[in-house]
Amino acid sequence: MPTGSTLHELRLRWPNDVEFGFDAGAVCLELLTTGGVGRYAAYDSVPTPADFTAWLARSRLGVAAAKSTVDDMPVLSRLRTAMWDIAQAQLAGRPHPHAAVAELNSVAAAPSLVPALSGNARAWAKPTAAQALSTIARDAVELFGSPAVSRLRECSADNCQLVFVDLSRPGQRRWCSMDRCGNRAKQRARRR
Ligand SMILES: [Zn+2]
């Protein structure tokens, strides 16, 4: 199972939109919500090391105090693009692109976060943002290389590209969030 496959909602707010909760199902897919890839280049929500440090604490990894540096930013960008390319290929039923896979594997090969028990909670031993990037890459390796990848979905709304892994037992999740696209679809159906 991918890292932190428990329920976890990111609070997202997109331009001109209300805040909504989004459970991506895996931390690697949570990173894709930060934008910055291809036509979303203008919507990078973690453009600085400080932004990425804060995001790591909000993500399902819950890495507090893993100070990110400028050296992490190109790795973050390469990892996010590679995971985006692989996810898009997967959703389209195409083979995973070689260059993206090589990029993902190279980030995954770096030292990852080290889990440590603190009281009765899982914490991280002396975490760094560089280690967190490796942990996120390994999460993507687990997801894209496991049967769970058959549950990878894009939100069914036409104008929504949020990608999640549907971990519900029936496997019929269609929307990024019932608070957002799910509700809009319901309202449209009611009007018809
Ligand atoms: Zn959506």
Side-chain angles (χ1 to χ4, degrees):
M1 263 301 166
T3 306
S5 53
T6 50
L7 294 180
H8 179 265
E9 281 202 337
L10 277 180
R11 301 303 297 175
L12 298 181
R13 183 193 292 276
W14 282 10
N16 309 320
D17 209 344
V18 291
E19 188 177 282
F20 62 99
F22 173 57
D23 187 348
V27 70
C28 59
L29 301 178
E30 288 187 351
L31 190 66
L32 293 185
T33 68
T34 62
V37 180
R39 65 191 154 120
Y40 304 108
Y43 303 102
D44 190 346
S45 66
V46 288
T48 71
D51 295 322
F52 186 48
T53 299
W55 184 86
L56 282 171
R58 284 201 308 277
S59 78
R60 71 182 58 210
L61 289 180
V63 197
K67 271 242 158 67
S68 179
T69 69
V70 284
D71 293 340
D72 299 322
M73 303 317 281
V75 184
L76 161 63
S77 168
R78 285 190 349 244
L79 172 62
R80 196 171 47 188
T81 302
M83 293 192 308
W84 177 263
D85 289 348
I86 294 170
Q88 292 304 312
Q90 179 73 39
L91 289 166
R94 286 184 275 112
H96 299 159
H98 291 299
V101 169
E103 197 71 79
L104 175 66
N105 288 342
S106 83
V107 180
S112 66
L113 291 170
V114 178
L117 201 55
S118 172
N120 55 4
R122 197 270 291 124
W124 303 109
K126 298 194 178 72
T128 67
Q131 289 174 325
L133 285 166
S134 168
T135 295
I136 294 168
R138 292 176 191 209
D139 181 65
V141 169
E142 289 297 326
L143 173 61
F144 292 120
S146 80
V149 79
S150 66
R151 293 290 196 96
L152 193 76
R153 313 254 188 276
E154 188 180 73
C155 177
S156 294
D158 291 341
N159 58 350
C160 181
Q161 274 74 44
L162 284 170
V163 175
F164 55 87
V165 57
D166 179 3
L167 299 174
S168 71
R169 200 179 290 264
Q172 291 169 343
R173 180 175 162 196
R174 294 183 60 199
W175 312 108
C176 59
S177 163
M178 279 317 292
D179 294 342
R180 187 171 185 258
C181 296
N183 246 334
R184 289 177 188 171
K186 245 199 284 177
Q187 283 166 2
R188 265 198 305 275
R190 222 177 288 136
R191 277 199 297 271
R192 271 198 298 268

